Amino acid sequence: EVQLMEFGGGLVQPGGSLNLSCLASGFPFNKQWMHWVRQAPGKGLEWMASISVLTGRTAYADSVKDRFFISRDNTKNMLYLQLNSLKSEDTALYYCAKSRLPDVPIETMTRGQGTQVTVSS
């Protein structure tokens, strides 16, 4: 059974940082592109970042470029997202997601249950 379990969310003040993690199981982790997507209250899914299977090549949405950093550890089946300089508009449910190929529609990605990030003073 494919499982993606996110953790590390919480309440953080504007300008603060947070580290999210995702533990993957039930599939060959080192053969899947991995992504972070988010959903803010009342809005649709928004792609944040992707990382390639082996080379670690990354891509980011303009809204988070140079603030968020995605990484993976294929030896531990772990995906990470470092969030820096957080803003109130970063408040959302953050999902870890996988796909066999890059550049696929968000709706076709397999996602976990999500972890809540709230940015507020």
Side-chain angles (χ1 to χ4, degrees):
E1 178 188 2
V2 172
Q3 288 194 334
L4 295 167
M5 184 183 305
E6 304 93 339
F7 46 97
L11 174 64
V12 61
Q13 292 187 341
S17 297
L18 211 57
N19 291 310
L20 305 184
S21 301
C22 173
L23 176 62
S25 62
F27 65 95
F29 184 76
N30 61 358
K31 289 179 168 39
Q32 297 281 312
W33 279 76
M34 296 300 297
H35 320 271
W36 287 97
V37 302
R38 70 184 181 188
Q39 187 165 25
K43 297 188 177 181
L45 289 170
E46 179 186 14
W47 170 75
M48 294 285 91
S50 298
I51 187 166
S52 66
V53 175
L54 294 176
T55 65
R57 180 164 57 93
T58 58
Y60 297 93
D62 287 343
S63 59
V64 303
K65 193 174 295 182
D66 298 326
R67 296 192 301 124
F68 292 7
F69 299 95
I70 188 173
S71 61
R72 67 190 294 166
D73 186 338
N74 287 344
T75 67
K76 297 180 180 179
N77 284 9
M78 291 290 295
L79 179 72
Y80 305 99
L81 186 68
Q82 181 181 350
L83 295 74
N84 300 318
S85 302
L86 283 161
K87 307 173 183 180
S88 58
E89 52 263 44
D90 294 318
T91 294
L93 189 60
Y94 282 71
Y95 296 96
C96 164
K98 75 173 189 72
S99 64
R100 191 172 62 84
L101 298 173
D103 301 323
V104 300
I106 292 178
E107 294 75 14
T108 67
M109 297 178 184
T110 301
R111 290 179 279 129
Q113 294 299 307
T115 184
Q116 178 68 38
V117 173
T118 302
V119 184
S120 175
S121 56

